[in-house]
Every structure is written in structure tokens, then in C-alpha cells.
Amino acid sequence: MEFTAENVENVVNQFYSDIGQQKSINIWLTTAQSSSAAWTFSWQLLSIEKSPEVQFFGASTLYLKISRFWAEVPVNDYDSLRGRLVELISTYAGGGPRIILTRVCLALSAFVLNTIPAVWPDAVPAIIQAFQPENFHLLNATQVCCALLETLKVIPEEFLTCQMASSRRGIVRHELRAGLSHVLPLLYQVLSQTTCPESVSREALKCFSSWVQFGIPMLEDEGLIKLVIQALHREELFDIAVDALVNVFLHSDTHRYPACIMKLLPLILDTESLLNRVIQENDEEKCTGLFKLLVAIGENHSRLLVENTLLQSVNKINVLQLVNLILRCNNMPGYFSVDESCSDLPFSFWYVLQDDIISADPEHFRVYSETFRPIYARLVDVFLHKVQYPPDEQYLTWGAEEKEQFRCYRQDVSDTIMYAYNILRELLLGHLCTSLSLIIADPMQQNKWQMIEAILLAVEAVADSVDVSDEQYLPQVFALLPQIPFTNLKLITTALDTVGAYAEWINCHSSVLPGVIPLLLHGIGNPEVAPSATMALKDIVSDCQLQMKQFAFQILHPCQEALLNRQLASREQIRLMVCIGRVLATLEFDDIMASLNVILTPHVQQLQSYILEPLTGQSKVGIILKLNMLAMLCASLDVNSIHSEQQSEPQLLPPSNKPQPILIVLQQLLPLLKTVVSKWPNDNDVVKAVCEVLNKSLHVLLDAAALLVGDITDLVIHTYCTVSHSSLVELTKQLLLLFAGSESHKPTMMSLFSKMTERTLSLLNQDIEHHPDITEAFMILLAQVG
């Protein structure tokens, strides 16, 4: 079908009436827009008597042709095309659909970007001159002004989104930036008129916001910015004015005008009465707008604000007023994500502010700290309130998205409390400790688990910043833990997370262990808090391994019971195996073997039962879980290397004539592992899990694994020659690194390397593209053992 105006119009109408055919129709219309005929039919479709749908397609086509097919326009047609576009704008400015007017203005903006500066060097002032009331006899002054402002507004917008070579973009940016000297005086003239119609004021503010991207010379245009600030107090202009001012204060150029910013700050602060009103009216949209503006000033000019607090002055008063207004944003009433959604806006501001404070020279730092310490203290109190969970019955009514947003919000609060610690230091810990002790000591307050949980969350937040030598407040906090009435799972979870966060500190203050171990062991038996409990226990037994011997049997039995109950998720079961291994490593050999016999027997029996069944999805998950548990036990049960964070190197225990317990375990497991890989050699996940057990064991046993080299090598060669897996190549690398230099094992290692190489080369010669993992593993093996 020919691309005529009539045909295109009919197809456009069909597009909106026949939904079922829209996909194929859209393909035809897209082809029509790309055709040379589009230069003709687009103008015809923009006839004023056409339907809005047809007009919109015509305007979009015209814009597309000018923006993307500019090379098709003859140079001699430039002037006539520009004139037709201006005439078309005047036509729709007189009463056509606004959306069509905007598209036509975009077409003119594309024309500007294609012709500036070589063809149309004075494009911006020329457009302003062209859109004067005396040039449009059929339009009134308001219509002409709105058309002009709409045209000017879309030029920077088009510049941001259009495709343009980087060299060309720099030239155009320079020309448009020069156009500011024409656009800004025009906007000032429009906004300063007391009788200016609302529609014109709105367009002027939108135009201002659009041109801000090129930088505002604040000294010359301070008056214009003041007019925009005044517009905040006009209901109908508020939203546009806020967006414009946010763009102004976020622009990097504003750093060149510190005095101007401090001069404008009181005008911004005058919006406090407006802020009070919209908060009282629960107008969250306007609250968000005002807080975005305040945060933009604070975050982008933090260093300037901090420096203006050195001396007692009006500027210092203004700065503190601004910071306190930002603090009010954090303190918005209600629960975040449910009742309000703006209290997360200042998080970055508090980080930038403390960063500027602590990076100051010592003399200034002292002054800044004294000034901002009370504010950060109030901020912490606000957070202790805002992070509290609602009552359980209310929390159950929240949707999944609301709960996730609240969880992320609490994490952001934790990060910000950590920044606050950089300013408050011991004052923060002291405040948290005092608050916790007062609540626990008051029977009337003990049922307020939310406040206790919030305090523990704050204590956890600063764990990485607190010195491990602290003996002033943390001992009091951990002494209070056993006294907390743990009546809520969320409270228990946070308490467990807090204990885990301070594992390194606890290692240096082992006297608190009798108070925290029972809490951890109570948690591992509850599936709902087990993730936090197992993580915390793993941290404690790893960082405090030297102290675990006295608690060994107290820990091992609950861990064994939790594993037998089969209520824990896979990750928790694997973590418990790490805990068991770390604790067992502190015991005497006989005690280790006796405990291992009790602990491992049920899991080995379960693995054996899986082997007797066909490999299903459920049995595969079970096999891999048991193998992963065994792997982590082998990795953590190393009697010759007990770690203590108090030492720079692992403590080496006195040499023992007794073998590593893992050696005996592996001797008993090898027949079972061989059975697993021989039964399911094609399953990469199962084979990988078996190799993980052997790799972890070899890493612990080192030379002590010599007794098992033959059996492990046989397993590797037999399986790899049956079905090749990259995990077997990685295991081979480990064997070669350990035993290739041993005279007694050199023949075995040479045979292993020879057969692995022969099988790998044969496999890769046949189909290398489908074995990238094996190729990579084999190349690594060659690089490390070569």
C-alpha cells in the first residue's frame, strides 16, 4: 500500500480501533515514517481539521524525520522548513491540542540542534525575536508567550536525549549555554510581572528548570532565583518551582557562588511555616518536595554549611536551622513505607555532613563536633523511634513490598547510626546502654520489646566502629542481655545479630560468653530465628575458638539435636557443621572421635539410604546437602590450626602422634563417596559435591592425606574417564600440588596427570565449544603445576 496521506490516515485510525491488529499495523506505520514520502504526508496529517490521533502521528513523524533523517533535507530548504515549523506552532498555539503543540515544538528544537551554530548561529535569540505578539495577529499575547516558552523549554530536553557525536555535543552545549544570556532575562521579565497569568508563570518555571542544566550564573540572576523561591508559596506553582530549585542547587556550577547560596538560604528557610502547614495537613507530596529541596542544599553544599558554623553569626544560625529542618524529615510521623515515604531522603546528607566534619583539621573538627554533636544525638533518638516495628497484629496486615521497604529502611538507618558514631563516639554507646538498662529495670517498660529491639539494632550498627578494647559500655550491654524478656522473635533475631557482630570484641572479653552462649543455643532450635542464630554461633566459635573448649559439650548437643530435628534450612545445617567442626577441634582426640561417631552416624546413614533410591529431585537435594555438610565439617575440624583473632597467626598446637580426626573420617567415607560418583557420574552437581568433600579434606590434611592418595586418585581417574567434570580437574590440581614432589607418590601423580591430559585433549578435540568450564580448569591446572 502506497504511503499517501489518505492511506496513512486510514491506517492510523485502524490502529486505534482494531486492537488485535496493532502489532502488524505498528510495523507498517514505522516503515511509513522512515520513507521519503513522510516529508509530504506528515504536513498533510497536521491539518487542523484532522483528528487528534492523526495529528499526533503527523507531528511525531515530522519530529522523527528532522531529528533522525536530517541528511535528507536539502540545504536550500532549511529556511522554508524553519518558517513552516514556526507557522505550524502558531496554528496549534491558537487552540489545538497541547500534546500536538509540544511535538511540533520538539520538531523545531531538533531543527535548532541540527543547524546551530553553522547554519543558524543566533537560534535562541532569533526564536525569542520571532515569537513576539506583533508577528502573530491571530494570537493574543498569552498564547504567543506560552508558545515561545514551550519552544524554549523543549530545546534543552531534546539536547539531553538526542543522539549526537561527542564532539558535536560539546559545540552545541557551548552555544546553548551562551543562549542563557537571552533566556534568563526573558524569564525574569515574565515572572516579575504581577499580572502574569498562571499558565504563563507555569511555562516560565518549566522553561527555567529545563535550562538550569547549562548552569545558572547566580550572581547575575539572583533576582530570578528569588522569584522562583517566591513561587513556592503559590499553590498552583509549588511543584514546578520545587523541581526547578532542586535542579539549581544540585548543579555543580553553584559551588562557584558560596556567598550567593548563603544569601539565598534565609529565603529557603522562610518556607518553614509552609512546611509546618503541609505536615499538619498530611500533604506528603508537598512535604516530599520541600524536603527534597532542603536535602539538595544540605547534601550538595555540606562543606560550605559546615564552614559557616566556625563563627557565631547569622549564617551559623541559618545553617543550624536548615540542618534541624532536615532532621524533621527523618522524624516524619508514622511507619516508613506505610504511613510516609520521605523520611529516607536525608540518609546521604548525614553521611556527607559527618564526612566533612571528621575530615576537617583538628582545630576545626573540635568546633564542628561541639556544634553538630547535639544534632546527631537527636538524630539517633529519632531513629530509635522510627525503626521500631509496629504491633504484630498491625505488621501482619502489611504487604510483602511494604515489609521489604521497611527492612531496607532499617538497614539504611543502621548505616547512618554508624556515621553518627563517628561524631558521638562513646556518648552514643553510653546513651544506648543507659536507655537499655532503664527499660529493663522498669517492669512497666519491659513489655515494650520494640524499643529494646531498636536499641540492640543501634548497638549492632556500630560494631565495626567500636574498638575491641572498649570496657566502659559494652560489658554493661552484654551483662543486660540475659535480663531481657525475649517475648518476640524479631527481638531475639536482632539480639542474635548483635552478638554475632561483636564476635571479635567478645574474643577479647570472654567473660561475657557464659551469658551469650545460651541465647545462641536457644536460637538454633527455632527455625524462624535459626538463620541469625547459626550465623552468630559460627562467628563466635570462629573468632573465639580458643575459648570454646569449656563450652564444647554445652554447644555440641544442641547442635546435634537441631540437625536431627530436620527443621532447619540447608544453609543453617551447613553452618552448624562448621560450628561443630570448630568446637570439636578444641577437644582431645578421643573426645573428638566419640562425638563424631554420634554426630555423623545419622547423616551417613541418611546418605546411604539416598544411594539405594533412584536419583530424583528430592533425593538429589538430600545427597548434595549431606555432602556439603560433610565438606564443611572437614574444612573446619583442623586440630593443628586453632584460630584466635588475638593472634596475627593461627596457634599451632604441640605435635601429636595421633592422626587428624578428618583422616579417619575420610577413610570411612571414601567407599561411600566412590559409590555416589559411580552411581551418578553424569550428574555434575553430585560429582562437584563429592569433589568438594575431598578438596576441603586435602586442604586440612595436607601431607597427612598420603595414606589416601591411591584411593582418591582411582576415584578421580575412573570418574573422569567415564564422564568428565571440571570439578575433577580442580581436585587433580590439588593432588598434584600436594604430592607431585613426593618420591613415593611420583608414579601415581604422573599416571594421574597423563590420563587426565589424554582424556581432556581427546574431549576438547571433539567438542571444545561445549566444555568451557573444563577448558578453563585444565588451563589453570597446567599453569599451576607446570
Side-chain angles (χ1 to χ4, degrees):
M1 188 163 52
E2 190 178 356
F3 297 134
T4 64
E6 182 180 359
N7 288 339
V8 173
E9 180 177 0
N10 290 334
V11 174
V12 169
N13 289 327
Q14 184 183 358
F15 177 84
Y16 287 101
S17 60
D18 190 352
I19 298 177
Q21 298 297 317
Q22 280 187 341
K23 185 175 182 180
S24 59
I25 294 173
N26 183 63
I27 295 174
W28 190 91
L29 290 174
T30 301
T31 306
Q33 286 182 316
S34 302
S35 70
S36 58
W39 287 107
T40 301
F41 71 69
S42 60
W43 294 99
Q44 296 170 325
L45 297 181
L46 279 163
S47 176
I48 199 68
E49 69 270 5
K50 300 293 184 181
S51 68
E53 293 82 5
V54 172
Q55 290 173 342
F56 181 78
F57 183 78
S60 297
T61 301
L62 184 59
Y63 163 68
L64 179 70
K65 298 301 289 184
I66 295 175
S67 61
R68 298 189 184 179
F69 297 89
W70 178 250
E72 297 178 2
V73 182
V75 176
N76 295 334
D77 290 350
Y78 287 174
D79 289 343
S80 61
L81 177 58
R82 179 175 62 195
R84 293 182 72 182
L85 286 170
V86 173
E87 182 180 352
L88 196 58
I89 290 173
S90 69
T91 299
Y92 281 95
R98 177 57 185 271
I99 191 173
I100 311 300
L101 173 62
T102 300
R103 299 302 291 181
V104 177
C105 290
L106 274 171
L108 180 57
S109 73
F111 181 94
V112 169
L113 297 183
N114 279 314
T115 56
I116 195 172
V119 177
W120 199 8
D122 58 345
V124 174
I127 289 174
I128 295 175
Q129 186 60 40
F131 282 89
Q132 297 298 318
E134 58 267 22
N135 297 331
F136 301 93
H137 302 294
L138 298 180
L139 301 179
N140 59 44
T142 298
Q143 291 172 326
V144 174
C145 190
C146 285
L148 170 60
L149 293 171
E150 179 70 19
T151 302
L152 291 175
K153 182 196 74 173
V154 297
I155 292 175
E157 294 174 354
E158 175 66 11
F159 174 75
L160 276 179
T161 58
C162 70
Q163 297 178 356
M164 190 181 296
S166 57
S167 57
R168 168 73 180 161
R169 184 172 291 276
I171 295 171
V172 174
R173 175 181 288 277
H174 176 75
E175 293 297 321
L176 293 179
R177 187 178 177 88
L180 281 170
S181 61
H182 302 281
V183 175
L184 298 181
L186 170 68
L187 298 178
Y188 179 81
Q189 180 185 353
V190 171
L191 291 172
S192 61
Q193 294 177 7
T194 55
T195 58
C196 182
E198 176 192 331
S199 59
V200 176
S201 296
R202 290 180 63 86
E203 291 303 317
L205 289 170
K206 290 179 181 178
C207 185
F208 175 76
S209 183
S210 179
W211 280 82
V212 162
Q213 66 166 292
F214 300 115
I216 300 296
M218 297 186 75
L219 291 178
E220 296 89 338
D221 294 285
E222 182 182 315
L224 176 57
I225 298 174
K226 289 180 178 179
L227 290 174
V228 180
I229 294 174
Q230 291 174 14
L232 291 173
H233 299 276
R234 294 178 59 179
E235 179 82 17
E236 69 279 6
L237 303 179
F238 175 85
D239 294 338
I240 307 171
V242 160
D243 290 340
L245 289 169
V246 168
N247 290 338
V248 167
F249 287 105
L250 285 180
H251 198 282
S252 58
D253 275 5
T254 54
H255 289 283
R256 296 161 48 199
Y257 309 100
C260 190
I261 290 173
M262 296 308 300
K263 187 176 179 181
L264 291 172
L265 184 56
L267 299 179
I268 299 292
L269 296 176
D270 284 342
T271 61
E272 183 172 4
S273 58
L274 174 61
L275 180 62
N276 293 335
R277 178 171 62 81
V278 296
I279 290 177
Q280 187 175 2
E281 294 172 355
N282 199 26
D283 188 339
E284 185 170 357
E285 188 173 344
K286 283 190 171 57
C287 285
T288 301
L290 285 173
F291 283 133
K292 278 184 177 179
L293 174 57
L294 297 172
V295 170
I297 298 171
E299 188 174 330
N300 205 40
H301 303 281
S302 172
R303 186 174 297 275
L304 172 65
L305 299 175
V306 169
E307 290 172 352
N308 273 274
T309 63
L310 275 176
L311 302 175
Q312 295 296 332
S313 64
V314 174
N315 282 350
K316 179 176 182 178
I317 295 173
N318 290 335
V319 168
L320 295 180
Q321 183 181 352
L322 173 67
V323 176
N324 279 295
L325 286 177
I326 295 175
L327 179 58
R328 289 188 63 183
C329 180
N330 290 109
N331 199 24
M332 283 292 288
Y335 294 102
F336 179 80
S337 81
V338 176
D339 303 313
E340 56 89 9
S341 59
C342 66
S343 64
D344 62 334
L345 293 175
F347 285 137
S348 295
F349 163 74
W350 295 114
Y351 166 74
V352 173
L353 181 64
Q354 65 86 32
D355 191 51
D356 286 332
I357 293 172
I358 64 177
S359 62
D361 61 73
E363 183 179 351
H364 290 170
F365 172 74
R366 181 182 57 79
V367 178
Y368 298 155
S369 297
E370 291 176 0
T371 300
F372 289 99
R373 196 174 288 130
I375 296 175
Y376 272 95
R378 291 201 301 274
L379 177 67
V380 171
D381 283 334
V382 167
F383 284 152
L384 291 178
H385 172 71
K386 288 290 292 183
V387 299
Q388 291 183 34
Y389 282 100
D392 288 338
E393 59 273 13
Q394 181 179 349
Y395 188 71
L396 290 174
T397 64
W398 290 11
E401 184 176 354
E402 292 169 331
K403 291 179 179 178
E404 175 61 16
Q405 289 178 358
F406 188 64
R407 184 195 67 79
C408 294
Y409 173 79
R410 282 166 51 91
Q411 183 58 56
D412 290 335
V413 168
S414 294
D415 294 339
T416 310
I417 290 176
M418 180 178 65
Y419 307 145
Y421 181 82
N422 294 333
I423 305 297
L424 299 173
R425 308 302 296 180
E426 290 76 14
L427 291 176
L428 174 56
L429 277 180
H431 177 58
L432 296 175
C433 182
T434 301
S435 300
L436 183 62
S437 61
L438 288 175
I439 294 177
I440 294 176
D442 186 353
M444 301 298 294
Q445 298 283 326
Q446 285 188 3
N447 62 341
K448 296 183 177 180
W449 67 266
Q450 289 95 336
M451 186 60 186
I452 299 176
E453 192 273 342
I455 294 171
L456 292 179
L457 182 71
V459 174
E460 178 196 354
V462 302
D464 290 337
S465 301
V466 177
D467 195 282
V468 293
S469 63
D470 177 78
E471 296 183 353
Q472 186 173 5
Y473 297 112
L474 285 179
Q476 299 179 47
V477 172
F478 280 93
L480 291 169
L481 276 182
Q483 304 176 39
I484 295 176
F486 289 107
T487 57
N488 187 277
L489 293 177
K490 297 182 184 66
L491 173 59
I492 298 173
T493 298
T494 302
L496 293 168
D497 291 339
T498 302
V499 170
Y502 282 93
E504 186 178 354
W505 180 89
I506 292 173
N507 181 49
C508 300
H509 302 81
S510 57
S511 59
V512 306
L513 280 171
V516 300
I517 293 292
L519 175 63
L520 300 177
L521 298 179
H522 177 74
I524 64 175
N526 187 326
E528 295 187 68
V529 300
S532 294
T534 54
M535 185 70 76
L537 183 61
K538 177 175 170 287
D539 291 336
I540 291 294
V541 300
S542 298
D543 288 353
C544 311
Q545 191 176 12
L546 283 174
Q547 286 79 37
M548 287 301 104
K549 185 173 184 178
Q550 59 182 308
F551 303 101
F553 296 105
Q554 182 183 351
I555 293 173
L556 291 174
H557 181 70
C559 289
Q560 180 189 358
E561 289 294 319
L563 290 173
L564 292 176
N565 287 337
R566 300 183 184 179
Q567 294 182 337
L568 301 182
S570 299
R571 285 178 296 182
E572 280 78 70
Q573 295 184 56
I574 293 171
R575 276 193 216 113
L576 282 186
M577 274 300 189
V578 175
C579 298
I580 289 171
R582 294 284 190 207
V583 173
L584 284 176
T586 66
L587 299 179
E588 298 298 326
F589 181 83
D590 292 339
D591 290 331
I592 294 175
M593 297 311 302
S595 298
L596 278 176
N597 185 54
V598 175
I599 293 170
L600 286 183
T601 298
H603 303 289
V604 173
Q605 290 174 347
Q606 183 67 53
L607 185 57
Q608 289 171 333
S609 68
Y610 284 134
I611 294 175
L612 300 176
E613 304 172 5
L615 188 64
T616 62
Q618 184 177 357
S619 63
K620 177 179 175 178
V621 170
I623 290 171
I624 292 175
L625 171 60
K626 296 304 177 184
L627 290 172
N628 288 339
M629 291 170 66
L630 291 172
M632 295 313 297
L633 176 69
C634 293
S636 56
L637 208 175
D638 185 357
V639 298
N640 290 328
S641 180
I642 298 180
H643 294 272
S644 170
E645 295 297 327
Q646 290 176 316
Q647 301 170 9
S648 58
E649 299 292 338
Q651 178 181 1
L652 298 180
L653 297 183
S656 172
N657 293 325
K658 298 177 182 178
Q660 282 264 24
I662 289 304
L663 179 62
I664 298 175
V665 171
L666 193 57
Q667 284 176 322
Q668 297 175 356
L669 283 178
L670 264 175
L672 191 59
L673 298 179
K674 286 183 177 180
T675 304
V676 171
V677 294
S678 63
K679 187 168 183 179
W680 297 297
N682 293 302
D683 195 292
N684 182 65
D685 296 328
V686 172
V687 174
K688 183 178 180 181
V690 170
C691 290
E692 191 69 7
V693 175
L694 296 172
N695 263 318
K696 298 289 188 186
S697 301
L698 289 174
H699 182 74
V700 170
L701 294 172
L702 301 177
D703 293 343
L707 295 174
L708 304 176
V709 167
D711 289 334
I712 297 176
T713 302
D714 290 343
L715 181 152
V716 172
I717 293 175
H718 177 76
T719 308
Y720 194 73
C721 290
T722 304
V723 182
S724 300
H725 299 279
S726 61
S727 54
L728 291 164
V729 181
E730 294 166 1
L731 179 57
T732 299
K733 180 191 71 176
Q734 180 86 327
L735 286 167
L736 291 173
L737 289 174
L738 284 173
F739 299 107
S742 170
E743 288 298 327
S744 58
H745 294 100
K746 185 172 291 186
T748 304
M749 292 298 101
M750 290 180 65
S751 174
L752 170 63
F753 181 72
S754 174
K755 292 179 180 179
M756 289 291 294
T757 302
E758 181 181 353
R759 169 61 180 167
T760 302
L761 293 178
S762 173
L763 182 71
L764 298 184
N765 283 332
Q766 295 173 18
D767 191 8
I768 190 172
E769 292 183 357
H770 289 84
H771 302 286
D773 53 339
I774 293 178
T775 304
E776 180 182 6
F778 188 67
M779 291 300 105
I780 294 173
L781 182 149
L782 293 178
Q784 294 199 11
V785 304

